[in-house]
């Protein structure tokens, strides 16, 4: 019996070899340093500064209480939480920093203020890697909050939106969730922390 080709295909599709390992690179930075002419937020809306002792591969700053900074600090190797303050190392260096907030209106508004503070040059010198927005509840985030997340995230070098992890409500010591977003996030952060180039 003769095999006929599909008339919509001009020739049989050639089999392509898929690479054994996918090489993933972190998202490129959209903004890499404070912006000239940006107006700093009111004093009440600014994060404080804290002199930090010791070192860390990555400092994690929550834009507000309950942001998840401690949870992410426990999750990421070599990371330390700052207690909702900009870290100021005693050696005067500009530390690598990840800003964190929850995906509710309060959290996103606090993150917007922190990013405005950084972009205006009112924050201490840090190498801001980006903003991580953690889901504040199970299920799909409402469209209005997703849209606001995109707007706020546009003021950060990079944006990661991370889903709700139900297991964290019951775990004392967190493990990296199997969700694709967390796997990608931890890979991105590890690569950025390992990158020795400094942001100008």
């Amino acid at each position: 019996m003769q095999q006929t080709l599909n008339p919509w295909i001009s020739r049989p599709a050639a089999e392509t070899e898929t690479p054994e390992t996918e090489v993933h690179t972190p998202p490129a930075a959209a903004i890499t340093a404070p912006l000239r002419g940006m107006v700093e937020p009111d004093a009440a809306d600014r994060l404080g500064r804290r002199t930090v002792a010791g070192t860390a591969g990555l400092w994690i700053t929550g834009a507000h209480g309950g942001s998840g900074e401690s949870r992410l600090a426990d999750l990421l190797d070599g990371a330390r939480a700052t207690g909702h303050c900009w870290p100021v190392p005693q050696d005067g260096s500009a530390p690598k920093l990840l800003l964190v907030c929850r995906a509710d209106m309060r959290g996103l508004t606090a993150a917007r203020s922190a990013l405005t503070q950084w972009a205006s040059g009112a924050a201490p010198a840090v190498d801001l890697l980006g903003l991580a927005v953690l889901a504040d509840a199970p299920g799909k985030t409402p469209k209005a909050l997703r849209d606001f997340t995109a707007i706020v995230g546009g003021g950060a070098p990079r944006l990661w939106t991370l889903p709700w992890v139900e297991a964290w409500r019951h775990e004392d010591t967190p493990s990296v969730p199997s969700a694709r977003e967390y796997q990608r996030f931890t890979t991105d952060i590890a690569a950025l922390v390992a990158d020795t180039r400094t942001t100008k």
Side-chain angles (χ1 to χ4, degrees), residues 101-138:
C101 76
R102 287 288 175 180
D104 56 14
M105 189 55 72
R106 172 179 171 260
L108 291 167
T109 301
R112 179 180 62 186
S113 294
L115 289 169
T116 302
Q117 184 181 359
W118 170 75
S120 70
V126 296
D127 180 1
L128 181 63
L129 301 185
L131 171 67
V133 179
L134 279 70
D136 64 320

Side-chain angles (χ1 to χ4, degrees), residues 41-172:
D42 292 335
D45 295 326
R46 296 181 208 154
L47 288 178
R49 299 169 182 233
R50 173 177 292 158
T51 301
V52 292
T55 60
L58 176 67
W59 294 93
I60 302 192
T61 298
H64 57 93
S67 61
E69 74 172 33
S70 297
R71 182 64 75 179
L72 288 186
D74 290 343
L75 195 69
L76 300 168
D77 289 335
R80 288 178 58 189
T82 67
H84 319 301
C85 292
W86 297 108
V88 181
Q90 293 175 332
D91 64 3
S93 63
K96 290 183 186 263
L97 183 133
L98 175 69
L99 188 66
V100 182
C101 76
R102 287 288 175 180
D104 56 14
M105 189 55 72
R106 172 179 171 260
L108 291 167
T109 301
R112 179 180 62 186
S113 294
L115 289 169
T116 302
Q117 184 181 359
W118 170 75
S120 70
V126 296
D127 180 1
L128 181 63
L129 301 185
L131 171 67
V133 179
L134 279 70
D136 64 320
K140 191 173 182 180
T141 302
K143 184 180 186 307
L145 290 175
R146 290 198 313 270
D147 292 346
F148 191 38
T149 297
I151 292 168
V152 172
R158 299 167 186 87
L159 171 65
W160 294 274
T161 54
L162 303 172
W164 177 261
V165 180
E166 183 65 25
W168 283 356
R169 301 178 77 184
H170 310 285
E171 291 179 357
D172 185 33

